[in-house]
Amino acid sequence: MAKQLYFVFTILALSGAASCAQDPPYFFMSGTDSDSDSDSDSDSDSDTDSDSDTDSDTDADSDTDSDGDAGIDCDDPITGPLDIVQVGNAIASEDLAFDGDGNVVGSDDSSLFKSPYSGDPVFWVANTNFRAGLRALPTGDIVYCNDQAGSIVRVDADTGTRTTVMTGLSYPNGITVGQNGLVYFSEHNAGRVWRLNPYTGESLLLVSGMTNPNGVTFNEDYTALYIGEFCGSGDVYRLPIDEDGEPGEIEVFAENVGSGCLDGIGVDACGYVYICDYGCEGSWDDSCVYRISPEGIVEPDPLIRPSWQQYLPNFDWGTGAGGWDAKSIYFAGGWDHHVFEVYVGVSGKPRVYP
């Protein structure tokens, strides 16, 4: 069902590079760091990132069974509708990520916190002030889309120091990380999708001409990027990505999904796509989650449907560490800053970190 679309593919030279002097970690492509952007954050950190962590831990699902995950029958996935339960006092607003210590990293829209599965959140970084995508890098550093400032920011895992990597964007929103450590994100209001080296600031415009691209994620073997549009066509697109991070030709993967206001997106170890619908069944600001087969067939009914009105913008699978179950999905709770858990019986695709 590859209806070809001919969006504009354009290479953009360095734009708003990071203010860090260190060499990028070994897994990034080579590039000249012409950093000139200083850390404009009001924190007192001097932004002298010295993270020498060369953590090559991919912690990927190394199962070799044909089902993609031990004990899982990919031909007979769990059926819905599945309800959600709140996880203790954990904090996350628009998105969340897992660190290497068994915590969820999330925002309350003003600061970053680290939350254990059981127990109270720990304050981490002040004055972050954003409401958009957030993910962990292979180094353990955190990267997020600052939608208010129009920038991409990296946070050092050890010091909490923030580095602005790219600026001048119009509502950067969804974000994901490839196996080579490069960042892929949507520029919602400009209709564009980018690739970015979060250490050198080197960027590449992958797609333009979309209608409010929102959630972005890789497929199960990291050979293609899925992109959903927020209140646009209601379609999910597939963009092939080669081993060097270069894009192919974009195509429609799945059509007419839910209300058409598509938000966060993720992929399990079997290749099924899960996508949040912001206006589930016509009810605005009331999310549910649809599942799409690896062949692009959308299940007619939501897989995950809270029994109350709840905004669920983004999610990720648990790591299996610290109580975060590897076969459960964890949702950022939107306006109320909670974290919710749903057991889906299958782990997420092999993860870059932790």
Side-chain angles (χ1 to χ4, degrees):
M1 47 190 307
K3 179 172 65 180
Q4 304 294 333
L5 302 181
Y6 296 97
F7 294 123
V8 179
F9 293 85
T10 308
I11 295 180
L12 186 70
L14 207 62
S15 173
S19 58
C20 52
Q22 84 275 23
D23 292 331
Y26 70 94
F27 44 77
F28 289 102
M29 299 190 311
S30 61
T32 302
D33 187 356
S34 57
D35 300 334
S36 59
D37 181 31
S38 61
D39 185 1
S40 59
D41 299 316
S42 58
D43 59 272
S44 60
D45 296 320
S46 59
D47 194 13
T48 56
D49 269 340
S50 59
D51 182 13
S52 60
D53 180 6
T54 57
D55 184 3
S56 59
D57 176 15
T58 58
D59 200 6
D61 178 11
S62 59
D63 300 323
T64 57
D65 59 284
S66 59
D67 289 328
D69 193 28
I72 297 298
D73 182 359
C74 290
D75 295 325
D76 188 23
I78 195 170
T79 57
L82 306 176
D83 206 349
I84 67 176
V85 294
Q86 184 177 332
V87 180
N89 298 320
I91 292 174
S93 174
E94 182 78 8
D95 204 353
L96 49 73
F98 291 92
D99 68 13
D101 299 318
N103 300 305
V104 151
V105 178
S107 170
D108 67 348
D109 299 333
S110 61
S111 302
L112 288 176
F113 292 81
K114 292 187 176 184
S115 299
Y117 187 81
S118 300
D120 293 326
V122 176
F123 173 82
W124 185 33
V125 182
N127 303 320
T128 49
N129 301 319
F130 75 99
R131 248 196 87 79
L134 178 152
R135 279 293 183 261
L137 294 169
T139 57
D141 293 348
I142 297 295
V143 63
Y144 65 83
C145 295
N146 189 328
D147 55 309
Q148 297 184 35
S151 61
I152 306 297
V153 179
R154 191 184 76 249
V155 183
D156 184 271
D158 296 323
T159 66
T161 300
R162 288 168 294 171
T163 301
T164 299
V165 185
M166 188 174 180
T167 60
L169 300 166
S170 183
Y171 204 133
N173 197 338
I175 192 167
T176 194
V177 181
Q179 287 185 313
N180 55 8
L182 297 176
V183 167
Y184 297 75
F185 70 91
S186 61
E187 189 181 4
H188 185 276
N189 289 357
R192 301 189 289 198
V193 177
W194 295 84
R195 188 192 76 198
L196 174 69
N197 186 314
Y199 288 90
T200 68
E202 184 180 8
S203 61
L204 177 72
L205 179 60
L206 300 177
V207 183
S208 65
M210 299 190 74
T211 303
N212 303 327
N214 194 311
V216 292
T217 194
F218 276 94
N219 64 350
E220 72 278 11
D221 60 5
Y222 289 82
T223 59
L225 193 69
Y226 292 125
I227 308 162
E229 291 185 324
F230 187 81
C231 298
S233 63
D235 295 341
V236 178
Y237 298 90
R238 182 182 184 276
L239 178 68
I241 302 289
D242 68 20
E243 61 184 10
D244 295 321
E246 298 299 316
E249 190 170 316
I250 197 167
E251 63 186 18
V252 172
F253 168 69
E255 298 179 285
N256 302 316
V257 181
S259 71
C261 290
L262 306 180
D263 211 332
I265 187 171
V267 174
D268 70 20
C270 295
Y272 284 86
V273 179
Y274 301 64
I275 190 161
C276 297
D277 180 2
Y278 181 77
C280 186
E281 300 174 351
S283 179
W284 194 247
D285 195 24
D286 186 16
S287 300
C288 60
V289 178
Y290 285 89
R291 184 170 57 193
I292 308 170
S293 75
E295 296 75 34
I297 300 171
V298 184
E299 295 179 2
D301 298 314
L303 174 69
I304 299 169
R305 184 70 168 107
S307 58
W308 66 93
Q309 182 169 340
Q310 178 64 51
Y311 175 38
L312 301 172
N314 285 289
F315 61 92
D316 199 2
W317 271 260
T319 59
W324 303 97
D325 181 43
K327 293 182 181 179
S328 292
I329 290 174
Y330 294 91
F331 288 91
W335 318 123
D336 51 18
H337 308 151
H338 297 316
V339 173
F340 295 98
E341 178 181 42
V342 180
Y343 178 77
V344 294
V346 60
S347 62
K349 64 176 178 286
R351 56 191 320 121
V352 175
Y353 178 87

